[in-house]
Amino acid sequence: MKKVAIIGAGISGLFIANLFKRSLNYQITIYERSNLIDLDKGYGIQLSVNSVKLLNEIGFDKLQNDKKFNPEKISFYTTKSLNKICELNISDFNSEDCKYTTLKRSTLLNFLKRNLEKEIKTNYNISKIKQQNQLIKLSFENNETFECDYLIISDGVFSKSKNLISNNQILPKYNNTLAIRGVLPNSTKIIDNKNISLFLGPDFHQVVYPVEPNRDLNFIALMKYNLSKEEQKNYSFFSDDIFIQKVLKKIPLKKREYLDNLKELKIFPVFVSDNFYRIQNNNIHLIGDAFFAFPPSFAQGASQSIEGAYELFRSIENSKESNFFKNRVYKIKMVNIRSKFNQFVFHLSNPLTIIFRNIILKVLVKNKKFLEIYLGKIYKN
Ligand SMILES: Cc1cc2nc3c(=O)[nH]c(=O)nc-3n(C[C@H](O)[C@H](O)[C@H](O)COP(=O)(O)OP(=O)(O)OC[C@H]3O[C@@H](n4cnc5c(N)ncnc54)[C@H](O)[C@@H]3O)c2cc1C
């Protein structure tokens, strides 16, 4: 039986743990730094059909229907005037069993960890990774050590494990945007509460969607914002009330009343990857945001984390010369380009280019060929 250590109990680590657990060939242990898995209670996440298909293999289709939502459309609006530009039928990519899904992040994490209570060890912060021939020796800050045959690194965008192995060569960079998250009551008037509403620019976009039928709505906005190096590192800065009010005032809205209804408001800087890092050991692998984190404007982070975890598990199972790294880099590059492009287009600020963008958007959301290339290619696996 091979020993597998997984660092980080986020979406990617927990999903790959579920896959390993189905086989009798592996003994898995998941090491999580925090004492409680951060369930970020009310916040939402979007899952496209590529990840829903893979999650269904471990029983996601059996999750109660009142715990998830299947929006049919993405409606595009201008942020300032709240005028509708056009809508995109996201359900065109659905099949009978795999539907574009929105849900609470906590629901997804609870689902992923439901059979892993024994395997998850909390309060384990990695401090050293030593590679000795085929064995990998891990040391933690609580002075415990552990030996394993495979090491899966899934400790997120600031991956300490990746830093330890690469000697801090590959660090994430600030994306020049702040994320503003919150929860809106379902009764909020301006919004179509049965679909995903996407409000565009300037230098800003916000997305509002239901995460459960007839319940509160998830609010997530990205705002262009310059921060000094010191500010980027100072997390208390982002919970300072003066700073929060300053950021909220910058939201380019005419009708701002609904912002008063925002609950569980949280502001944080968005960090993204700049580079890939290939580990020179066939038994140590990166997945999820530790592999590569892109701007959240294509809502693919979690879906790609799930897809990557699945591909890695398959390549370990098949244990032949694997193309895991090469194939993943290829797919991630496609997603990264689209994520950056979305952010650029959503945040346009020149009135003329905005008019032009809106005209093109109206055409493209109805163009099947374009949608197949832009979205279909990503949603296939
Ligand atoms: C604002 C925003 C909105 C987003 N919206 C979406 C969306 O709608 N759809 C979507 O698909 N994606 C979205 N994403 C991206 C998505 O959240 C991430 O891509 C995804 O959570 C990555 O999962 P992960 O498991 O790789 O990392 P994480 O979820 O970050 O999990 C990492 C885990 O590792 C643990 N850990 C960290 N350091 C250590 C350590 N030293 N030792 C042990 N454990 C450690 C952490 O505590 C955590 O539990 C969004 C991202 C942002 C920033």
Side-chain angles (χ1 to χ4, degrees):
M1 196 184 247
K2 295 278 186 199
K3 281 189 179 170
V4 180
I6 299 169
I7 310 281
I11 295 168
S12 56
L14 291 174
F15 181 60
I16 202 164
N18 274 273
L19 300 175
F20 277 118
K21 191 155 185 198
R22 293 192 305 180
S23 162
L24 295 175
N25 299 332
Y26 307 100
Q27 184 202 327
I28 46 168
T29 314
I30 307 153
Y31 295 97
E32 167 58 43
R33 180 184 54 185
S34 55
N35 55 354
L36 251 185
I37 296 179
D38 183 15
L39 293 179
D40 261 354
K41 270 232 158 287
Y43 302 133
I45 197 136
Q46 303 179 44
L47 295 173
S48 48
V49 288
N50 45 329
S51 57
V52 173
K53 182 174 141 203
L54 304 177
L55 285 170
N56 283 351
E57 288 200 17
I58 59 160
F60 187 68
D61 44 349
K62 312 276 180 326
L63 187 73
Q64 292 150 270
N65 279 338
D66 64 348
K67 294 267 180 232
K68 53 188 177 183
F69 192 81
N70 299 126
E72 299 273 313
K73 293 182 285 194
I74 300 178
S75 303
F76 293 81
Y77 300 85
T78 55
T79 303
K80 261 190 188 156
S81 57
L82 304 180
N83 287 335
K84 188 161 175 173
I85 306 166
C86 57
E87 57 187 38
L88 164 70
N89 281 331
I90 196 79
S91 59
D92 283 354
F93 295 93
N94 291 353
S95 63
E96 183 65 31
D97 316 317
C98 297
K99 296 192 168 81
Y100 199 96
T101 301
T102 54
L103 75 172
K104 285 185 183 170
R105 190 179 275 264
S106 57
T107 305
L108 179 61
L109 288 173
N110 273 326
F111 163 76
L112 289 171
K113 71 181 179 81
R114 74 207 182 289
N115 297 324
L116 297 169
E117 301 297 338
K118 278 199 218 119
E119 287 82 3
I120 301 175
K121 287 180 176 247
T122 52
N123 285 320
Y124 277 75
N125 191 346
I126 188 85
S127 58
K128 223 188 247 169
I129 302 173
K130 220 168 149 192
Q131 306 166 51
Q132 288 168 329
N133 306 322
Q134 286 303 304
L135 265 192
I136 302 153
K137 192 170 168 191
L138 308 176
S139 307
F140 294 90
E141 282 186 358
N142 59 10
N143 291 328
E144 285 193 33
T145 56
F146 179 79
E147 282 184 349
C148 59
D149 303 289
Y150 290 107
L151 172 62
I152 314 292
I153 296 174
S154 52
D155 50 0
V157 58
F158 300 108
S159 179
K160 185 175 173 189
S161 315
K162 182 159 88 172
N163 291 349
L164 288 171
I165 290 181
S166 72
N167 290 325
N168 293 322
Q169 271 177 51
I170 307 280
L171 297 173
K173 60 165 197 202
Y174 177 53
N175 184 43
N176 285 322
T177 50
L178 290 176
I180 308 163
R181 305 204 87 147
V183 173
L184 277 174
N186 190 277
S187 53
T188 306
K189 283 285 178 300
I190 58 154
I191 287 148
D192 165 7
N193 56 14
K194 295 262 179 292
N195 285 299
I196 301 172
S197 304
L198 173 54
F199 299 81
L200 307 184
D203 291 331
F204 175 86
H205 76 279
Q206 63 179 24
V207 190
V208 181
Y209 56 86
V211 283
E212 287 173 355
N214 307 317
R215 293 280 182 81
D216 288 347
L217 306 162
N218 181 67
F219 172 95
I220 169 80
L222 286 190
M223 178 189 281
K224 190 170 170 202
Y225 203 98
N226 290 328
L227 290 173
S228 68
K229 283 264 181 275
E230 285 67 38
E231 287 169 336
Q232 289 169 28
K233 284 185 217 141
N234 178 3
Y235 262 69
S236 61
F237 179 65
F238 302 105
S239 44
D240 176 75
D241 213 38
I242 298 170
F243 172 75
I244 292 175
Q245 291 315 320
K246 189 173 153 196
V247 171
L248 291 181
K249 269 207 191 101
K250 281 188 80 168
I251 295 183
L253 275 170
K254 265 192 196 148
K255 292 184 199 157
R256 336 180 39 88
E257 301 82 54
Y258 81 91
L259 287 177
D260 299 336
N261 295 333
L262 267 179
K263 296 181 288 183
E264 298 174 43
L265 187 76
K266 200 170 158 187
I267 299 183
F268 56 93
V270 177
F271 281 80
V272 293
S273 304
D274 209 10
N275 256 315
F276 295 95
Y277 181 66
R278 183 163 204 161
I279 298 173
Q280 301 304 325
N281 180 329
N282 289 337
N283 293 342
I284 304 181
H285 299 278
L286 301 164
I287 52 172
D289 281 4
F291 189 102
F292 195 92
F294 19 69
S297 27
F298 194 41
Q300 270 294 307
S303 290
Q304 289 307 313
S305 297
I306 289 165
E307 222 179 86
Y310 189 86
E311 286 170 10
L312 176 61
F313 172 72
R314 282 259 169 263
S315 96
I316 291 176
E317 269 283 270
N318 294 335
S319 68
K320 6 180 204 56
E321 186 54 31
S322 141
N323 281 328
F324 166 73
F325 184 82
K326 199 172 135 217
N327 294 344
R328 199 81 293 266
V329 167
Y330 179 75
K331 181 85 183 249
I332 294 279
K333 279 185 177 170
M334 289 204 295
V335 176
N336 194 35
I337 285 174
R338 285 160 174 79
S339 303
K340 283 181 171 172
F341 185 68
N342 278 4
Q343 185 173 308
F344 169 75
V345 171
F346 295 170
H347 286 205
L348 286 176
S349 55
N350 178 305
L352 255 179
T353 50
I354 289 175
I355 293 172
F356 195 53
R357 173 200 62 198
N358 294 353
I359 294 170
I360 294 177
L361 251 183
K362 280 183 197 170
V363 176
L364 289 181
V365 293
K366 300 281 172 233
N367 185 317
K368 291 240 175 317
K369 227 176 188 172
F370 167 78
L371 293 177
E372 199 43 54
I373 293 169
Y374 200 73
L375 300 177
K377 261 192 168 183
I378 304 300
Y379 295 169
K380 266 194 200 113
N381 48 27

